[in-house]
Amino acid sequence: MKQAFNIYFGKLLDKWREYNNSLPQISFNEEVDEFMYESKEDEYGYVFWKPKEKRELFNFDEVESQCNVQLHNSIKQYFNSCWFLELTGYFSSYHINLHPVIPGVEPDYFISILKDYVESQHDILKYIPIGFESNGMLIVLDNNTGEIFIEDFELNEYKPLSKSLDQLIQGLGFKEQM
């Protein structure tokens, strides 16, 4: 997983340097621990940021017990690899947004989403929500195989997207200009 993040964030940082001669920018959020920001908030409410190594690991035992599920290892690796404020890009013909891992916010936000999702699935957790695509459909991980799907909730269909979370992250691309 760390290699997938290194590849993705390497491409992201290169694109921002190439087109904007800067680090990535995001809207300032006072809930985010300040160490994530590389600048002060500008007049438009944006700050520079870059991913940071995560030294404190989250233990998912309590979450797994509460949801009565053993989470796929790639989910645990995802939330324990690094801190980042945004993970977005194009994969196939989809614009994908995966859950950020924000200090002071995650994994608590993910856990609340997971609990709501379990409830909506009548306490059956075959899939784990990990993000969304631009049309609002969920990006989910098959908790048994680790494969990634796009969930069409209205049609109750799951369209294959990627063989793994690592493959999805490594394969995310960017538009020509950022």
Side-chain angles (χ1 to χ4, degrees):
M1 185 66 63
K2 286 190 179 196
Q3 180 181 358
F5 280 124
N6 287 340
I7 290 168
Y8 171 82
F9 287 121
K11 291 188 297 187
L12 177 72
L13 294 171
D14 287 347
K15 279 288 183 193
W16 272 88
R17 274 193 284 284
E18 180 182 344
Y19 288 106
N20 301 313
N21 198 29
S22 72
L23 292 171
Q25 286 185 297
I26 196 162
S27 295
F28 177 78
N29 179 344
E30 62 186 34
E31 291 183 31
V32 174
D33 288 345
E34 286 186 26
F35 81 90
M36 287 300 298
Y37 295 138
E38 298 292 319
S39 69
K40 298 289 182 194
E41 182 180 4
D42 69 14
E43 64 270 20
Y44 304 107
Y46 287 91
V47 292
F48 294 114
W49 72 277
K50 64 181 179 181
K52 304 279 197 261
E53 182 179 348
K54 188 171 184 187
R55 290 189 168 89
E56 56 197 61
L57 302 181
F58 183 78
N59 183 334
F60 284 89
D61 292 345
E62 185 177 329
V63 174
E64 291 174 326
S65 176
Q66 288 176 1
C67 294
N68 196 29
V69 67
Q70 178 70 37
L71 293 173
H72 193 272
N73 194 46
S74 62
I75 290 291
K76 296 174 187 179
Q77 291 175 9
Y78 182 86
F79 282 97
N80 281 321
S81 291
C82 63
W83 298 113
F84 56 92
L85 303 181
E86 185 174 60
L87 202 156
T88 185
Y90 292 88
F91 191 91
S92 188
S93 61
Y94 299 100
H95 184 225
I96 305 292
N97 290 282
L98 298 179
H99 293 304
V101 180
I102 303 171
V105 176
E106 293 298 349
D108 295 336
Y109 180 69
F110 167 73
I111 293 166
S112 71
I113 289 173
L114 182 62
K115 288 178 179 178
D116 289 346
Y117 189 77
V118 168
E119 188 176 303
S120 76
Q121 299 296 312
H122 310 292
D123 295 327
I124 298 171
L125 190 62
K126 177 171 172 44
Y127 297 100
I128 298 171
I130 58 168
F132 59 93
E133 59 87 41
S134 60
N135 289 326
M137 291 189 282
L138 287 178
I139 305 299
V140 295
L141 179 138
D142 183 310
N143 198 41
N144 295 319
T145 66
E147 292 176 274
I148 307 299
F149 294 86
I150 294 179
E151 177 189 78
D152 187 328
F153 182 78
E154 292 176 358
L155 298 176
N156 196 29
E157 293 179 350
Y158 296 86
K159 181 178 179 181
L161 184 62
S162 176
K163 294 286 182 199
S164 69
L165 188 51
D166 285 30
Q167 183 186 56
L168 176 64
I169 293 167
Q170 287 181 50
L172 286 173
F174 308 100
K175 284 187 172 184
E176 286 303 308
Q177 291 193 3
M178 298 187 80

